[in-house]
Amino acid sequence: LESSSKVVVVRPCARSMVLRSNLPRSQILQLLPALLPAATWRPLPAIAVGGVSSGDQGQIAGDKAFQPGLAGKDYGKSEMSYDDFTKRPSGMAFKEAKPGNGKSPVAGDRVVVDWSGYTIGYFGRPFETKKLVELDGKDKAYLRFELGKGAVLPALEEAVAGMSEGGVWQGVVPYRPGLSYPDDDKDHERVGPVPSTFSGQRALNFVLYNKDLIDKTLLFNVKVIRVDRPGENGWKKG
């Protein structure tokens, strides 16, 4: 890999990667996260996030992906962004892959969705897909939740609130307070969705609760199957 300015050059050899540069070592270390294989994305503008300790603020609120091993540092891997996704104030990058043509949910409605999830910040490993569930000898069930109750992660509620029946949503969810899975609910009993298989839960939790240089960004694909108002299809609010 060669930078456009020809300053940093990384060339593969038989046993390792060789780094040659005329930059000081300290600057090279700051550039390394951007040179590591991940994907081709651009940095995002800084957005302030409350409720975070000052030591972690630079790793969560700015344009850097949260990596516990770099907490408090002013360098690291940039948050993921794609040109065809829209960045929301919450920090989630959103794309409507297919518009819906049915009812749109409001707080108190039950939303029935089909979903899949990937650890896009860490090798794109699936933690919920139809194939994973089938390999476990199960039939994949729809996810059902009451909108506004906090039963699923805030990013999912935020997205579904702007969708309608038949719509398909894709979202890149960085690890931020009040957006992704909370760090005090490792079994995902309070805030879902919960992966349907043991292997899926293990893949998700390995990323979420790892204390090293792992980017905890997640990708969700969601399709709204049905919206039930109170009284419809046996749904009772609350």
Side-chain angles (χ1 to χ4, degrees), residues 198-218:
F198 173 76
S199 61
Q201 292 185 43
R202 184 172 59 179
L204 174 62
N205 286 356
F206 176 79
V207 169
L208 289 180
Y209 306 115
N210 193 291
K211 300 300 183 182
D212 296 321
L213 302 180
I214 288 183
D215 181 353
K216 304 175 186 297
T217 304
L218 305 175

Side-chain angles (χ1 to χ4, degrees), residues 180-193:
S180 188
Y181 288 95
D183 58 9
D184 61 348
D185 182 32
K186 295 186 178 181
D187 293 328
H188 314 301
E189 294 179 349
R190 188 176 80 252
V191 179

